[in-house]
Amino acid sequence: MASIWLTKLLGSCFRRADDVEEKKHDWLLPAHTKFPKGRTLAIVVLDGWGEQIPDQYNAIHVANTPTMDALKKGAPEHWRLIRAHGQAVGLPTDEDMGNSEVGHNALGAGRIFEQGAKLVDSALSTGKLFHGNGFRYIQECFAKGTLHFIGLLSDGGVHSRYDQLQALMKGCAANGARRIRLHVLTDGRDVLDETSFKFVEQLESDLRELRKHGVDALIASGGGRMYVTMDRYENDWNVVKRGWDAQVLGEAPHKFKSALEALTSLKAENPKFNDQYCPPFVIVDHGGKAVGPILDGDAVVTFNFRADRMIMLAKALEYADFNKFDRVRVPRIHYAGMLQYDGELKLPGKYLVSPPEIERTSGEYLAKNGLRTFACSETVKFGHVTFFWNGNRSGLFNDKLETYVEIQSDQGITFNEKPGMKALEIGRKAQDAILSGKYDQVRVNLPNGDMVGHTGDMKATVFGCEAADKAVKMILDAVKKVGGIYLVTADHGNAEDMVKRNPKTGQPLLDKDGNIQILTSHTCAPVPIAIGGPGLIPKVRFRTDLPHAGLANVAATMMNLLGFEAPADYEPSLVEVAN
Ligand SMILES: O=C(O)[C@@H](CO)OP(=O)(O)O
Ligand SMILES: [Mn+2]
Ligand SMILES: [Mn+2]
């Protein structure tokens, strides 16, 4: 008896040891038979830098960008285009433009995951959303409290989509919500400027419909996404505070009877009015009382599926211990995010749809294989090369092997005011990291094409692209000095197209006053990828058998360039060594 017991025990010990061994083995990347190890690899992501018709509305084409132009001459062996939008990055359709979250997720994870937009679509269409724990949690407040929705009023599909909000409101009403308040953030960044009017009209009509069915449903507050609530990476907490005051406290410098009146009056008052920077406003009743502050016993849903610009608000709503601004009054609420926005912080704790499970990212593999990584950008893009790159996971995998450096972004300005942004500082930090010999991978994001492109200011965007090009040169020079390798790419298009075009002719579209319609959003354009540097062994070239490759093919490429085979389930590497 005892010996059987002992055999079993020993057996299980051995099995456990085997399992551990297997786990460890899983993480070890085999050495590549052709690509050597030990060459510093610089990875540069030009944010918002796509390939488009080379005309006067293409800021990258107009800009003087000798470094990027020289890389292009390496085509087709060392320069090519890859997909950065639609299904290639896990978005619902090929009509969906790319964005930083899905772009950097794909770059870092080496595989295509169904992204938030798609997961929410399916949770809504199957009705699964209304049966989950997150929904039950907010539902507990429906009988006595108000249900508040806070999010981006847009159909851009980058942070949110209006049809999802519609389905959510309807579903909540059908499942018992009796009082609903909307706290809207106007867009103008993923959609054309001043489309806020159209979205507010649509929302008012949907709320009227709900009221007909006995639901007390109203817009309670509003503000522009870049000035109210949707800051990211803790660049400027004042942005979140402005939103808090309007949404929670029911206080704002501007008070109106309706959201449409708010937009119309604010625009009439200020010739520079635009959707992105609309000041905060509160809707009041005839007695001047805010119609929907967030109170004890209420439920709150942040309906954006994208993470970065919801995390700060999620912290303010969820953390008992919070010192970023004076919340004045902290209501006891049931709060759920559309998704969980940060997998490491488990923030928020309750959510309506489970986020994509982006695991085994390249960053984690590199750390497990002892490679040393340096990642850097300025605040507004810092999380892109860290948090997004690592599958929406904050923090380091290994603090002995990784260094993440954030350069503080300018605060309180629109980036056309200082279009150079911190590109040269990022270039300098990358240079130092490369020359130090302390890192195997040095990874940066250069924000100009995107952040300045979003302002719609052509001249400033041209300047910004030139600054980014200079930073690329600084990095390439350092790579040259240490005999390293570079991989330069982008996460999606933006600066290469500054006007809305007729899809058939490619000519710019005019608005009703005859002015060219400015495009502030991302695009569906492919993006360049270039490799090179003295560390690249002879005869390395891009494969020609992957014409539809996208951002997800970059991680395996990078692992090869570092001397490793990529995991078998990663999208294939773009490079080969010719015979
Ligand atoms: O600024 C943002 O939030 C988006 C556009 O909505 O841009 P990016 O995906 O490049 O971060
Ligand atoms: Mn981007
Ligand atoms: Mn952008």
Side-chain angles (χ1 to χ4, degrees), residues 47 100 189 381 450 454 492 494 522:
D47 213 293
S100 291
R189 191 172 174 93
K381 296 288 178 187
D450 183 67
H454 279 304
H492 54 76
N494 185 338
H522 299 166

Side-chain angles (χ1 to χ4, degrees), residues 378 419-428 446-448 464 467-468 471 474:
E378 62 171 281
M421 300 185 68
K422 305 293 176 200
L424 301 186
E425 286 89 331
I426 296 167
R428 210 161 298 132
L446 297 171
N448 313 63
M474 291 167 75

Side-chain angles (χ1 to χ4, degrees), residues 47-48 98-101 152 158-159 187 189-190 225-226 230 232 306 308-309 380-381 384 388 450-451 454 491-492 494 522:
D47 213 293
N99 71 70
S100 291
E101 179 178 53
L152 186 65
V158 173
H159 293 269
D187 189 354
R189 191 172 174 93
D190 301 329
R225 58 175 285 177
M226 299 303 284
M230 283 175 61
R232 65 179 164 206
R306 172 154 154 181
D308 56 346
R309 294 191 185 274
V380 293
K381 296 288 178 187
H384 289 33
F388 285 157
D450 183 67
M451 295 301 286
H454 279 304
D491 61 340
H492 54 76
N494 185 338
H522 299 166

